[in-house]
Structures are given as structure tokens and as C-alpha cells.
Amino acid sequence: SLTGLPVTLKILQNWVPRVSHYFDKEHYTYVGHQIVIQESIEHFGAVVWPGALALSQYLESNQEQFNLKDKKVLEIGAGTGLLSIVACILGAHVTATDLPEVLENLSYNISRNTQNLNMHKPEVRKLVWGEGLNEDFPVSTYHYDFILATDVVYHHGALDPLLATMVYFCKPGTVLLWANKFRFSTDYEFLEKVCNIFNTTILAEFPESNVKLLKATVRKN
């Protein structure tokens, strides 16, 4: 069940006109920093999707409600790394994860945009949803304050492992922030599963982009 009334927002045009002629560079401004993202046309995970823009904007505007400073943050399906970079600028200890084939571009974007800043050095790691979680991220060692996920739900076959991954990392005290463009019935079916497992609130909706931003926490027994 969903609680609370979401605010209705618009994704602001936070990107800057391109100075370069390369097709693969996008320039954004968040939290007073210009962020340059290299996209790749080879992988789904290598393009900036609207959910990442929505959650980046929301975290920038709601720093009192969601204070990331010195918090441990895990992004699953980090893609180009835009959101992880924003979380870094906001002072978090960030671990950005994705599939092996996306990591090179992800690492490039994150190191390029955070190297000269006085902040916690972000980490980039492989994470295949539902696979090797206990081995790679043992519960005894890894506890995250925030799990970030954007546009991880679309027409793919890994929705059950994705849900299992969210459940694995969401411990008592962890806040899952998930922003997604809702396109298909499968997206709403996944949302229903999330609502059945977690305490879920829709924080914001971006109607023009069909993006919903949700907060989920573990239910207290």
C-alpha cells in the first residue's frame, strides 16, 4: 500500500548546451557543479534516462529531508553514473554498480567528474542482480543508508533478480529511493510487488516524463 500524497514536479532542463561537437557528451549542472557525461550507444546502461535526472534533481532540492553527507550509498544499475556523481557531490560514500560491460564507461564518468573534488572517493563495482550477493557484499560487512535505483524496471527478464537484490540490500534503517519511467503493465506489476514487500511512499511524480519517484523501507515486524 502507498502512503502520502506525492508532489508533482517537472524535470528541469539542467543540461547545458553542448560546447563540443561529439554526439556522446552531455553536460549537466547539479549542486553547483558542471557534470560531463559520456554516453555510449552500445548499451542500455550507457545512456542517461529520465529517472536519473528526476532523482538527481530531487536529491539536490531536498537535502534536509535526505541528507547524504557521510552516508553509505549504493546505486544499483548506475549506468552512466550521473546519479552516483550527484550523490558524491552531496557528500556520500558512494558505491556505483552495474553489469561488467557498462563498468568501463561508468568508471570513466565517475572518476572524471569527482577527481578534483574534496569528497569521499567513490567506488565502482560489478553487480549482477541476484547473483553472488552474499559473496560480493556479505551482510556482516556491507550496510547501506541509501539504495538508489533509476529506470531499472523496463522490458527485461531480470525483474525477479532485481527485486531480490532490493530486498537483500534493504535492511532496517536503509532507505530505497527508486525513480522510474512507467511505460508498460510490467512496470506497474513490479511496483505492486515492491508495495507488497516494503513500506512504500510516492514522493514525487513527473507527469510530463511519466516518472514516479518512490521511497521504500523495510516493514517492521
Side-chain angles (χ1 to χ4, degrees):
S1 64
L2 293 164
T3 54
L5 286 172
V7 291
T8 303
L9 298 171
K10 184 178 179 181
I11 294 180
L12 302 171
Q13 300 293 315
N14 268 27
W15 55 94
V16 191
R18 292 181 196 147
V19 206
S20 64
H21 298 292
Y22 298 107
F23 72 97
D24 62 347
K25 296 274 198 305
E26 291 284 0
H27 298 251
Y28 301 89
T29 305
Y30 287 102
V31 208
H33 291 264
Q34 182 159 328
I35 300 168
V36 181
I37 294 294
Q38 173 173 286
E39 296 187 327
S40 151
I41 47 177
E42 278 131 42
H43 304 291
F44 272 137
V47 176
V48 176
W49 295 101
L53 300 175
L55 187 47
S56 294
Q57 178 180 319
Y58 194 85
L59 288 174
E60 177 184 31
S61 307
N62 294 272
Q63 293 177 47
E64 285 182 12
Q65 186 184 359
F66 297 108
N67 178 7
L68 299 190
K69 188 163 171 50
D70 300 328
K71 298 291 195 298
K72 291 193 167 70
V73 171
L74 174 73
E75 185 178 6
I76 56 174
T80 60
L82 175 65
L83 179 59
S84 281
I85 293 161
V86 171
C88 256
I89 294 169
L90 290 167
H93 292 271
V94 176
T95 303
T97 67
D98 213 314
L99 296 168
E101 59 267 26
V102 180
L103 294 186
E104 188 181 351
N105 193 55
L106 173 60
S107 299
Y108 173 79
N109 282 331
I110 288 184
S111 64
R112 170 189 184 151
N113 286 284
T114 60
Q115 61 191 2
N116 298 323
L117 300 177
N118 180 21
M119 57 177 67
H120 304 298
K121 189 169 165 43
E123 189 182 9
V124 175
R125 291 188 60 178
K126 178 192 86 166
L127 173 59
V128 181
W129 297 334
E131 289 182 20
L133 299 177
N134 282 318
E135 293 78 26
D136 296 338
F137 297 88
V139 177
S140 54
T141 318
Y142 293 94
H143 184 283
Y144 295 97
D145 301 297
F146 290 93
I147 308 298
L148 307 181
T150 62
D151 286 317
V152 286
V153 176
Y154 51 93
H155 209 58
H156 62 71
L159 291 177
D160 288 342
L162 170 61
L163 188 60
T165 301
M166 288 176 165
V167 169
Y168 179 82
F169 284 113
C170 259
K171 303 285 182 260
T174 303
V175 173
L176 167 65
L177 295 174
W178 167 42
N180 217 92
K181 186 178 174 82
F182 280 76
R183 309 168 180 83
F184 311 112
S185 59
T186 46
D187 303 344
Y188 289 95
E189 286 161 20
F190 188 90
L191 172 60
E192 199 175 320
K193 288 180 180 173
V194 168
C195 292
N196 288 337
I197 294 172
F198 299 106
N199 286 329
T200 313
T201 311
I202 297 185
L203 295 173
E205 295 190 273
F206 300 77
E208 288 177 31
S209 324
N210 291 331
V211 170
K212 295 183 196 302
L213 168 54
L214 296 101
K215 170 191 170 187
T217 53
V218 172
R219 288 201 178 136
K220 294 187 172 75
N221 294 330

